[in-house]
Amino acid sequence: MLKDILRTLSLTPILFLMFGKLNAQTLITPANLSQLNIAQDSLSTYSDSTVTVKDDIDRLAYNTMFVKKLVGALKTPHSFQFEFDSLANNLSFLKSPNQTFRIITWSLPFSDGSYKFYGTIQLATKDGSLKLIPLNDDTKNITDDNLITSQKNWFGARYYEIIPVTYPGKNPYYILLGWKGNDNKTSKKVIEVLSFDKDQAVFGKSVFEIKKKAANRNRIVFEYAKMNSMTLTFDKQVNMIVFDHLAPYENNMEGNAAYYVSDSSFDGYSISYPRLYFKENVELRNDASSLDELYSTPRKATTLFQKGKH
């Protein structure tokens, strides 16, 4: 008898989690789920074509059709619950931990080595109807990468990690780590901040400490030699964003990003409301790991310590 009671109690958390997951899935009816699966297959074909075709005009045409089909699929009731797993190679779907929105981003490569970024923010709705905030990549017209922007003049990137920053009584904001590409000489990565003002998306926030007594920055952009790989990741154990320190591999090329590479040292941003505090000389203490080449993150930050403080 006692064994049966203990067995039941041990299964309760598992059953609760399973029920919670199933309850979320049941918001999508079988008919709508079938519709989304069919749409996903079609979307995968168009998405792959935007990458494999060699002509830029054809690439844009396939992408235009892809966007129309994606919006059509998202109009399916409760599509917010559908993961679109088969699109993961070409698109990023990042859902906020509080399940209030997800941000969908992808890039379009061109033959000259440049990129254009596409994206949208899908908001969760009680009735399952579609509510989107389309993102317009306006990078070519942004002369100052420290500007606070909106969805209309987005500093485009393909985001691969989302980190919520919360504080009691304050509106949360979200840190996004993204790959930005650039041209045939350099690549870029970005630490972006997303917040919301009513139904408007706001990108950038004065939270990044650079130096003591210096003005904070609204976003952080890294630019480095295209042949180089760069780590930019979040370590939950120490609540810190960690990244390679970049330096020119030839001393006389200071300021020329095409010559900047990782110098085997690491810096970071410690996350603490209301700002992120810059930390120099943090060290990775784990083995390298192979991650998605698109993001060029061959090392995974798990255990960190500051040099001289251990």
Side-chain angles (χ1 to χ4, degrees), residues 58 193-194 261:
D58 289 341
V193 179
L194 169 64
V261 297

Side-chain angles (χ1 to χ4, degrees), residues 28-252:
I28 305 177
T29 66
N32 287 337
L33 182 60
S34 176
Q35 182 179 336
L36 284 166
N37 280 317
I38 293 171
Q40 180 175 224
D41 290 341
S42 178
L43 285 166
S44 295
T45 301
Y46 280 105
S47 178
D48 288 342
S49 295
T50 63
V51 177
T52 57
V53 295
K54 295 181 179 180
D55 184 80
D56 289 347
I57 295 176
D58 289 341
R59 183 173 289 113
L60 285 166
Y62 274 113
N63 187 68
T64 297
M65 290 185 283
F66 173 82
V67 171
K68 290 181 179 179
K69 287 186 175 294
L70 177 61
V71 173
L74 293 177
K75 287 180 179 179
T76 305
H78 299 289
S79 67
F80 185 82
Q81 304 297 333
F82 191 76
E83 300 299 331
F84 292 97
D85 292 333
S86 69
L87 301 180
N89 286 338
N90 298 330
L91 279 78
S92 295
F93 288 77
L94 293 181
K95 190 171 288 187
S96 65
N98 61 2
Q99 303 289 304
T100 58
F101 73 91
R102 66 177 172 182
I103 183 165
I104 306 167
T105 54
W106 70 96
S107 62
L108 209 60
F110 294 112
S111 55
D112 65 354
S114 64
Y115 298 84
K116 184 173 177 61
F117 291 85
Y118 292 82
T120 189
I121 298 172
Q122 183 180 12
L123 303 175
T125 57
K126 291 182 178 180
D127 62 358
S129 60
L130 181 61
K131 191 171 185 179
L132 293 179
I133 304 177
L135 305 178
N136 176 54
D137 181 7
D138 198 38
T139 302
K140 64 181 181 180
N141 295 319
I142 297 175
T143 57
D144 181 1
D145 63 20
N146 195 45
L147 291 176
I148 293 177
T149 63
S150 70
Q151 69 266 22
K152 296 179 181 179
N153 59 337
W154 175 47
F155 191 66
R158 178 176 168 180
Y159 303 120
Y160 56 90
E161 193 150 12
I162 183 169
I163 308 154
V165 180
T166 61
Y167 191 80
K170 302 290 184 180
N171 291 328
Y173 61 86
Y174 303 86
I175 298 170
L176 301 169
L177 305 185
W179 177 86
K180 190 165 174 58
N182 193 38
D183 55 31
N184 57 8
K185 292 183 178 180
T186 66
S187 291
K188 290 182 178 181
K189 286 191 175 182
V190 60
I191 309 177
E192 182 65 274
V193 179
L194 169 64
S195 58
F196 294 92
D197 182 8
K198 297 180 181 179
D199 289 337
Q200 301 296 306
V202 180
F203 290 95
K205 191 175 181 66
S206 179
V207 296
F208 296 100
E209 177 194 66
I210 302 299
K211 295 179 180 178
K212 299 294 183 183
K213 298 182 179 180
N216 292 343
R217 286 190 64 83
N218 295 315
R219 75 173 51 81
I220 302 296
V221 180
F222 305 93
E223 185 175 6
Y224 50 93
K226 198 174 188 72
M227 65 179 181
N228 186 58
S229 62
M230 180 192 173
T231 293
L232 173 61
T233 190
F234 174 60
D235 188 286
K236 294 181 180 179
Q237 295 183 16
V238 291
N239 202 39
M240 184 183 292
I241 298 168
V242 183
F243 46 88
D244 281 302
H245 182 84
L246 301 173
Y249 60 82
E250 292 185 12
N251 293 333
N252 63 341

